[in-house]
Every structure is written in structure tokens, then in C-alpha cells.
Amino acid sequence: MTIPPFKLERYYALYEFKASIMLSSSDCESLSMAEVLDMASPQNLDIWKNLRLGYTETQGSPMLREEIARKYGNIHPDNIMVAAPEELIFIAMQTLLTPGDHVIAMAPAYQSLYEIAASNGCSLSFWHLKPTGNGWTADPNELNSLITPRTRMLVMNFPNNPTGYLPTREQFDAILKIAQKHGILLFIDEMYRLLEYDPADKLPAVCDVYEKGISLAGLSKSMALPGLRIGWLATQQTELMERWLAYKDYTTICNSAPSEILALIALQNQDSIVKRNLEIIRSNIQRVTDVFTRYKHLINWMPPRAGSVAFPQWKGKMSAEELCQQMLERYSVMLVPGSLFDHPGVHFRLGLGRKNFAAGISLLEKLMSECD
Ligand SMILES: Cc1ncc(COP(=O)(O)O)c(C=O)c1O
């Protein structure tokens, strides 16, 4: 299998550890080791101190899987496999698809969600999110029109990276109905779930509501712990587990023992971690809304409905690539252009979860003031 470079990740590799301010990053301000250990119950602290650094169970620690299963309504710990989120996308696409299958993926989206399938000889159609004057939308009727007799899987990502799009419950039900009607797999990347700004907008996890649904979730985004490299696949389809485990023997074999315990501690404190992250995001959204309202002639803000990223439209004379390059060269602020998401419009991604967001936005404002 040959696979094209992952554009976003290659761009990050160039600048992530050089730039002073990451104004595009999708993860929330990372928690420190001390912050996580401070949340631990005496029992977990004891496990932590006496932890042996050996190999762990391929499927993931049973204690961790039990804690994860408690977050769902219909999922047994045996129906969960723990690994790094990106690894799980790879394993899922490699094991669930065969060359010649047709896959429909939403766009724009994180590249691996469609690239692995394409590189594996699957044919691909995109269900495009559409920019509106006030955010992003998508039409389930268009999704329906893309279905062919060979369609094997729908690949979605809600809340969406990079747009912050979250379907309404009505749209979600329509997507579910399409998958059910055709009996096709519905893979939803739910890495940004729990970061709904209005709790009423929270959608069910697809693994809970559809027997052919597969949820990808993890600690990297809404839980501010990307360095743990912990995520999971959850599904009611018991028969998939053996295939996933057999494949994982060729990727990482098992997870890091310290990461699994820290993940358990974090999940037992999920509500307070998510609350902290939403507070950071809300305050950053307020700040950026004020600034972008003043610069309406240069930016169409397109506010997200959920998650820790937004994908505003740039209306200035220079290209989005030039804008991002200038921010890097002049202010050491990293922004990523929309072209890294194979998106034809003139957009850039904004990360809303970091504590130094205000400093980055002030520098963007400074640059925009010179574009007037
Ligand atoms: C939608 C989405 N899915 C999966 C991942 C992969 O997560 P991780 O980097 O923790 O492996 C990312 C990371 O940016 C993402 O945005």
C-alpha cells in the first residue's frame, strides 16, 4: 500500500515545535501530569505508584474498558478496543474495507478518514459541508444521492474538524436512516464529542444507536490529553473485535501502561475536565467574535456549533497560504490554511482550546489592521 503524505501532519512537523503560539491546534490546553494525579482516587494513586512497566493487554486494560463502557448505554467492555486514535482509524479502515468498496466521507475532514480507504483501492465520494453566512451546513438528501450498490461505509466526523459543524438531531437521524436503509457501516469520528456549546445539542454516540455503527473516541481533544495516545473504537458488532485485535498485533501490540492508568483517572473526572475545556473555548470564542466583527470585510467568521476548532473564510487580497506564512514569519504564530484539508475555498483553521489564544488573536488583528 502506498499512501500520499498527510498534508496537515507534515505541515505540523515543520512548525509545531518552532512557532511560539499555536493558533490552529485542535487539542485543548494540555493537562499536566500533576493536574491529572491530583484528581486520582487513593485506589488509583496506589495502582499508579505500584505500576509495573510491562506489556499490557492488546484490547486495553479491563479496568479502563469498563470505565469507557460506562460512558455509553449499549456497549459492553468486550466491545471496546483501546489504541491511539490515529492508529484506530488505520485499523478500522484496513479491516472493514476491501478494494472495490465504495466509501462516502464528509468533507472537509481529517485526511486519514478518507485517504486510507482511497489508498486501499476503495472508490470515494465526498459529502460536502457547505459554507453559509453564519456557519456550516450539510444536506442529508445529497448524502442519499451518493449511495451506490457498492457503498460499504459512511465516514463522518461530528463535531467536525476543521469546521465545528455539528448536525442537528434531525439531520443526524436522517444520516442514521440512510445507513440503516442500505445496511451500511456508519463510522463516526467522535473525537470532539462532549464539546457541544449547548448541552441540548449533544448527539448520541453512533455505537449506542445503530448496530452497524462504529464510534471512534479518545482523550486527545475534549479531554486535553493528546500525549497519552489513548482512544478507542466501540461497536455492538462483536465479530469485529477479533479482526481489530489481529491487526493491532502488527501496529503497536498494546498500549502504554502509564497512559492507561492516567486515562482511567481522567475518565473518572471527565465532567470537570470537559467543563474546564469548555470554559477556555467559550472565552476564546467571545474574544475572536469581537475581533472578527470589527474585521468583517476581511473575515467571514462562520462560528462553530461545537468542538475546539473553527474554519473561518479569509476575504483579504493575499491568499490564505500567504496569510498563514506571514503570521509565522512575522509573529511566530502558527495557522494552517484550508488547502491542507483539500478544501477549495479560502479558509484557515483556528484552534479555540489554548490559553494563549488571546495573544495569537491580537497578532492576527495587528496583521489585519495593515490589510485595511
Ligand atoms: C477528527 C480527528 N480524528 C482523529 C484524530 C487523531 O487523533 P490523535 O492525534 O490523538 O491520534 C484527530 C487529530 O487531530 C482528529 O482531528
Side-chain angles (χ1 to χ4, degrees):
M1 172 189 182
T2 51
I3 191 160
F6 197 132
K7 296 185 197 71
L8 179 72
E9 298 298 347
R10 285 297 91 212
Y11 195 77
Y12 263 78
L14 290 177
Y15 306 117
E16 182 172 11
F17 297 101
K18 292 197 184 117
S20 307
I21 298 180
M22 302 299 293
L23 196 54
S24 267
S25 287
S26 56
D27 50 336
C28 296
E29 184 80 23
S30 329
L31 291 167
S32 70
M33 182 78 142
E35 281 173 305
V36 176
L37 289 178
D38 274 353
M39 298 173 189
S41 64
Q43 191 195 1
N44 283 340
L45 216 46
D46 201 47
I47 296 175
W48 173 250
K49 284 185 185 147
N50 293 299
L51 188 67
R52 298 194 71 86
L53 299 175
Y55 284 109
T56 60
E57 292 187 35
T58 299
Q59 193 168 350
S61 134
M63 267 190 316
L64 177 58
R65 285 187 287 114
E66 271 165 35
E67 189 61 40
I68 294 168
R70 274 195 271 278
K71 311 289 181 200
Y72 297 105
N74 259 333
I75 296 293
H76 190 274
D78 289 348
N79 286 4
I80 291 166
M81 182 172 89
V82 181
E86 177 72 325
E87 177 187 1
L88 291 165
I89 295 176
F90 194 74
I91 292 175
M93 299 304 160
Q94 292 287 12
T95 53
L96 299 175
L97 300 171
T98 44
D101 284 343
H102 176 238
V103 173
I104 304 173
M106 73 184 300
Y110 195 61
Q111 194 175 337
S112 51
L113 291 172
Y114 50 89
E115 198 73 80
I116 298 165
S119 296
N120 239 345
C122 297
S123 64
L124 206 59
S125 302
F126 288 108
W127 182 47
H128 291 282
L129 297 180
K130 303 267 166 55
T132 71
N134 190 33
W136 294 82
T137 189
D139 180 359
N141 289 324
E142 277 179 29
L143 176 65
N144 197 34
S145 72
L146 297 171
I147 302 275
T148 76
R150 295 199 71 95
T151 307
R152 167 117 178 101
M153 189 194 273
L154 306 183
V155 184
M156 306 280 148
N157 164 223
F158 310 137
N160 173 258
N161 170 18
T163 61
Y165 167 75
L166 178 72
T168 59
R169 181 62 205 243
E170 210 182 2
Q171 288 168 331
F172 178 82
D173 287 343
I175 296 164
L176 202 60
K177 230 170 158 178
I178 293 168
Q180 279 164 336
K181 183 174 155 209
H182 298 277
I184 46 190
L185 297 170
L186 179 51
F187 180 98
I188 308 194
D189 177 326
E190 297 166 355
M191 291 292 291
Y192 298 83
R193 194 161 168 264
L194 308 179
L195 294 180
E196 297 79 16
Y197 310 148
D198 180 347
D201 288 341
K202 187 174 162 195
L203 298 168
V206 72
C207 62
D208 266 341
V209 293
Y210 180 36
E211 68 281 5
K212 289 194 170 179
I214 299 149
S215 292
L216 167 72
L219 301 185
S220 305
K221 311 297 177 183
S222 37
M223 294 291 281
L225 292 165
L228 295 187
R229 312 306 299 126
I230 293 285
W232 56 88
L233 291 173
T235 183
Q236 295 173 33
Q237 302 164 90
T238 311
E239 68 281 6
L240 297 184
M241 196 51 65
E242 277 313 309
R243 282 152 68 188
W244 289 345
L245 292 173
Y247 207 92
K248 193 179 169 189
D249 290 339
Y250 287 99
T251 55
T252 55
I253 302 177
C254 69
N255 311 309
S256 134
S259 283
E260 289 198 327
I261 299 301
L262 294 169
L264 175 67
I265 296 168
L267 283 170
Q268 287 178 351
N269 292 279
Q270 180 174 277
D271 291 352
S272 64
I273 296 175
V274 169
K275 183 167 172 276
R276 168 238 191 222
N277 294 337
L278 275 171
E279 275 166 13
I280 298 174
I281 292 170
R282 281 203 184 94
S283 130
N284 289 340
I285 287 183
Q286 199 171 359
R287 160 90 45 166
V288 76
T289 306
D290 289 348
V291 173
F292 286 180
T293 305
R294 283 201 297 281
Y295 285 89
K296 263 196 214 128
H297 55 296
L298 288 178
I299 287 202
N300 175 10
W301 163 216
M302 310 183 69
R305 284 187 74 218
S308 47
V309 284
F311 206 46
Q313 184 188 14
W314 172 247
K315 300 195 288 186
K317 284 201 185 85
M318 66 176 117
S319 66
E321 284 78 8
E322 273 175 274
L323 170 74
C324 298
Q325 207 55 44
Q326 287 215 17
M327 286 300 288
L328 255 179
E329 284 167 12
R330 293 174 60 178
Y331 305 121
S332 190
V333 172
M334 185 176 164
L335 274 180
V336 302
S339 50
L340 297 183
F341 289 89
D342 293 323
H343 187 75
V346 185
H347 294 258
F348 61 92
R349 187 178 76 177
L350 209 52
L352 304 165
R354 297 291 180 95
K355 284 186 176 167
N356 60 1
F357 181 83
I361 284 296
S362 300
L363 292 166
L364 178 59
E365 182 170 13
K366 201 164 162 193
L367 194 142
M368 288 193 296
S369 70
E370 293 171 22
C371 296
D372 279 345

